[in-house]
């Protein structure tokens, strides 16, 4: 098993989906063991692929461009050739590890969390297809396969977010996610068509080489790059498409962990990372990525301060992290973006699964109804604390190294660096708030936590493993760790845009960021633990601001107003035109005209000889008059 055989990876969970869909109700335990076995095998097979990659890099150097294995699917000679293939390089391997491991943890965790669910077998079937789609997406060597997998990821997210379809809120959230991301997907599809028309190929590497050789017209390349970014913004929930992500919490909590940590939302980050050489060729493209990332980071950080649903707070922290990844890409550092994506996968999955344990034990997910859970759920509390501190960026957890790497890159742009520093204490504050209101203090509803306890081993073991990785995952930035794994150095030595990026630890940046994070945690502790009345006073004094944040800057209301007053009104006008003009006038009108002509003609066919003789005489007289008049 090596890089050339990586196409086998998505086939395993895809095969599990087919079997579970057809025979799941007849299998023991509805076939959950089959889904887990498929993803475990997938994860295990990533290791020989990693070994093959390290050998190739050792032989060819850090500039090794990866391995492509492609076969011709269909061809129209001289016009179109469609291939099916995979491309494996360092970026692909990082994504394979993240997707397969987090999916494995989520599926094992679901054994306990989803037990007794009425659609238990269907849940495991769809989640298997979800993983297969994401694996196919990151392995695709051409835009056509990537887009097919891209759409499958969207379909699976729709099915999983709407898993509890009997609840109107879940059904609406699923539709909102599906429609919002479709807007971006249209842009991506148009970009793929434009690039194919210019280059004659769907190959991602082929398109990049053509662009770098100047074979794509500037206006086409510019339009294509911005449309690709539009697709990435939709999947990765960047402003203004961010509104679907918080509502996606209506799905089962393990689904939230998978969407946020390893599949749906990181697909956009992966797409931009993979096509970053194209963005570099277009003036203003990277600046756009940077601006959107910064705006999303600020919006999400401020809204996270006031949300009370435990899953929504974590969702806004995901938006925060995704914004940082796009900032890194906007600054031209795929290594920093992929390092954050790698570390983020573990502590974000940990946070969601920890929240799931709380919900599973208390049947509550509003922090205003929780509190005092530390004594009841010490394992969940301890692992959740690790995830929260990693998200905040406290030394020396995974989030610290990932965040500081982005800050170091940002030092070259003082304005961006200063803006990023402002978000650090805010992020630390809302993570401290979330932990304190959930696990510390007195229980707001004692009956809710009376029988609360840590989950069974199927839920606890994934929490522990993810907590360990949330501590150590960031160390892949060090050259010594990279060399120990067989690579030439840290992550910057194998993922880069132009040349390897040697890790440099900036003491001043680390101290400054740590002080800001510590101040945020301290303020959070003071407001929500030591003097909780301060939070109430602040909400009253800053009521306009608080109301603005609670209502999410009224962006959801704005979008709904546009839908109600513009989209639906336009739809009603089109419906009227379709009914009255197209259908009743053009389609039905032609039939009615034919019927009317037939009605008139029937009077000419009376069946009486005198009538026909009279018609002949009239005709002869008329023709005679015409003939004499012409003479």
């Amino acid at each position: 098993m090596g890089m050339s055989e990586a196409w086998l990876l998505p086939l395993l969970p895809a095969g599990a989906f087919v079997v579970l869909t057809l025979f799941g109700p007849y299998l023991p335990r509805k076939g959950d063991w089959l889904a887990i076995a498929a993803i475990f095998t997938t994860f295990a097979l990533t290791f020989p692929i990693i070994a093959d990659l390290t050998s190739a890099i050792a032989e060819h150097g850090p500039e090794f461009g990866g391995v492509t294995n492609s076969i011709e699917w269909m061809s129209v000679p001289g016009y179109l050739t469609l291939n099916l293939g995979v491309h494996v390089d360092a970026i692909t391997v990082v994504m394979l590890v993240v997707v397969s491991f987090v999916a494995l943890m989520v599926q094992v965790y679901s054994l306990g969390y989803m037990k007794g669910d009425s659609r238990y077998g269907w849940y495991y079937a769809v989640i298997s297809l979800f993983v297969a789609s994401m694996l196919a997406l990151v392995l695709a060597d051409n835009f056509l396969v990537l887009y097919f997998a891209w759409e499958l990821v969207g379909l699976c997210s729709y099915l999983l977010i709407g898993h509890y379809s009997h609840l109107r809120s879940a059904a609406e959230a699923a539709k909102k996610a599906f429609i919002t991301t479709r807007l971006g997907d249209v842009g991506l599809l148009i970009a793929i068509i434009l690039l194919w028309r210019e280059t004659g190929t769907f190959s991602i590497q082929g398109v990049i080489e053509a662009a770098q050789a100047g074979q794509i017209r500037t206006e086409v390349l510019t339009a294509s790059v911005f449309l690709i970014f539009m697709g990435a913004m939709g999947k990765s929930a960047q402003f203004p498409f961010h509104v679907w992500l918080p509502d996606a919490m209506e799905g089962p909590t393990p689904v939230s962990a998978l969407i946020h940590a390893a599949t749906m939302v990181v697909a956009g980050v992966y797409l931009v990372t993979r096509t970053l050489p194209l963005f570099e060729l277009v003036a203003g493209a990277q600046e756009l990525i940077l601006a959107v990332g910064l705006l999303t980071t600020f919006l999400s950080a401020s809204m996270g301060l006031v949300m009370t649903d435990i899953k929504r707070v974590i969702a806004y922290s995901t938006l925060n992290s995704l914004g940082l990844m796009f900032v890194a890409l906007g600054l031209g550092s795929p290594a920093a973006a992929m390092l954050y994506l790698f570390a983020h996968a573990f502590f974000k999955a940990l946070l969601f699964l920890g929240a799931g344990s709380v919900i599973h034990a208390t049947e509550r997910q509003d922090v205003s109804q929780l509190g005092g859970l530390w004594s009841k759920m010490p394992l969940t509390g301890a692992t959740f604390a690790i995830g929260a501190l990693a998200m905040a960026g406290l030394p020396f957890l995974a989030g610290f190294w990932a965040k500081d790497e982005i800050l170091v890159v940002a030092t070259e742009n003082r304005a961006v660096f200063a803006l990023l520093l402002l978000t650090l204490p805010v992020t630390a504050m809302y993570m401290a708030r979330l932990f304190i209101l959930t696990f510390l203090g007195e229980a707001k509803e004692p009956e809710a936590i009376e029988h609360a306890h840590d989950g069974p081993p199927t839920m606890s073991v994934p929490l522990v493993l993810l907590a360990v990785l949330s501590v150590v995952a960031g160390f892949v930035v060090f050259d010594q760790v990279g060399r120990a794994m067989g690579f030439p150095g840290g992550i910057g030595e194998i993922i880069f845009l132009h040349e390897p990026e040697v890790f440099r630890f900036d003491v001043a940046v680390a101290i400054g960021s740590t002080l800001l994070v510590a101040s945020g945690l301290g303020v959070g502790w003071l407001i929500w633990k030591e003097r909780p009345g301060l939070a109430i006073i602040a909400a009253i004094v800053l009521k306009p601001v608080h109301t603005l944040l609670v209502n999410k800057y009224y962006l959801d209301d704005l979008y709904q107003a546009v839908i109600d007053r513009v989209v639906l009104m336009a739809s009603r006008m089109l419906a009227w035109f379709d009914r009255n003009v197209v259908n009743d006038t053009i389609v039905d009108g032609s039939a009615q005209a034919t019927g009317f002509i037939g009605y008139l003609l029937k009077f000419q066919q009376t069946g009486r000889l005198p009538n026909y003789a009279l018609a002949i005489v009239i005709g002869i007289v008329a023709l005679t008059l015409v003939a004499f008049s012409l003479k």
Side-chain angles (χ1 to χ4, degrees), residues 285-295 326-328 330-331 413 416:
Q286 288 184 265
E287 288 77 7
L288 176 63
I289 299 174
L290 182 60
V292 169
L294 281 173
L295 183 56
F326 277 100
V327 167
L331 293 170
N413 188 319
V416 174

Side-chain angles (χ1 to χ4, degrees), residues 93-153:
V93 166
V94 171
M95 295 300 300
L96 292 178
V97 171
V98 165
V99 174
S100 59
F101 180 77
V102 172
L104 176 61
M105 294 296 99
V106 165
Q107 292 200 21
V108 172
Y109 180 94
S110 297
L111 292 172
Y113 189 89
M114 299 299 292
K115 184 178 180 181
D117 186 88
S118 60
R119 304 171 70 199
Y120 184 77
W122 175 244
Y123 168 84
Y124 269 98
V126 178
I127 211 166
S128 296
L129 181 61
F130 199 13
V131 176
S133 304
M134 189 65 191
L135 290 171
L137 191 157
V138 301
L139 283 167
D141 76 322
N142 66 79
F143 281 114
L144 198 63
V145 175
L146 182 145
Y147 188 76
F148 177 77
W150 185 273
E151 290 301 301
L152 270 181
V153 167

Side-chain angles (χ1 to χ4, degrees), residues 21 46 116 188 298 395 518 548 621:
T21 301
T46 61
L188 176 59
F298 270 89
L548 181 67
V621 171

Side-chain angles (χ1 to χ4, degrees), residues 84-353:
L84 296 177
V86 298
H87 178 80
V88 180
D89 59 7
I91 297 174
T92 310
V93 166
V94 171
M95 295 300 300
L96 292 178
V97 171
V98 165
V99 174
S100 59
F101 180 77
V102 172
L104 176 61
M105 294 296 99
V106 165
Q107 292 200 21
V108 172
Y109 180 94
S110 297
L111 292 172
Y113 189 89
M114 299 299 292
K115 184 178 180 181
D117 186 88
S118 60
R119 304 171 70 199
Y120 184 77
W122 175 244
Y123 168 84
Y124 269 98
V126 178
I127 211 166
S128 296
L129 181 61
F130 199 13
V131 176
S133 304
M134 189 65 191
L135 290 171
L137 191 157
V138 301
L139 283 167
D141 76 322
N142 66 79
F143 281 114
L144 198 63
V145 175
L146 182 145
Y147 188 76
F148 177 77
W150 185 273
E151 290 301 301
L152 270 181
V153 167
L155 172 63
C156 293
S157 68
Y158 168 77
L159 295 173
L160 290 169
I161 293 169
H163 181 76
Y164 302 124
S165 54
H166 59 282
L167 300 176
R168 181 175 177 80
S169 57
E172 292 296 326
K175 288 190 292 184
K176 186 175 184 178
F178 192 78
I179 294 171
T180 304
T181 55
R182 287 295 75 68
L183 297 175
D185 294 352
V186 170
L188 176 59
L189 179 59
I190 295 172
I192 292 172
I193 295 171
L194 288 175
L195 291 172
W196 170 73
R197 290 191 54 162
E198 284 292 299
T199 63
T201 180
F202 288 107
S203 168
I204 297 174
Q205 298 305 314
V207 168
I208 292 174
E209 291 171 4
Q212 291 174 335
Q215 297 173 4
I216 302 177
R217 287 174 293 167
T218 302
E219 61 274 18
V220 174
L221 181 60
T222 301
S224 300
V225 162
F226 283 105
L227 289 168
I228 287 173
F229 185 55
M230 183 177 171
M233 289 166 63
K235 274 290 190 287
S236 289
Q238 295 297 285
F239 177 86
F241 299 114
H242 67 284
V243 293
W244 69 266
L245 192 59
D247 288 359
M249 299 305 98
E250 293 293 337
T253 306
V255 169
S256 301
L258 190 58
I259 289 176
H260 285 247
T263 53
M264 182 85 159
V265 299
V266 296
V269 177
Y270 166 78
L271 177 63
V272 175
T273 304
R274 175 63 72 198
T275 58
L276 196 58
L278 296 179
F279 285 81
E280 187 186 31
L281 297 174
V282 175
Q286 288 184 265
E287 288 77 7
L288 176 63
I289 299 174
L290 182 60
V292 169
L294 281 173
L295 183 56
T296 304
T297 301
F298 270 89
L299 288 176
S300 58
S302 58
M303 289 185 282
L305 276 172
V306 300
M307 297 299 158
T308 58
D309 186 302
I310 186 172
K311 290 171 67 177
R312 283 183 180 269
V313 177
I314 302 173
Y316 281 110
S317 76
T318 300
L319 290 174
N320 190 326
S321 296
L322 291 168
L324 289 175
M325 296 178 209
F326 277 100
V327 167
L329 292 171
L331 293 170
S333 178
M338 293 303 294
L339 172 62
Y340 201 103
L341 185 152
F342 181 72
H344 170 264
F346 305 123
F347 63 72
K348 190 50 54 70
L350 174 61
L351 286 171
F352 270 111
L353 297 186

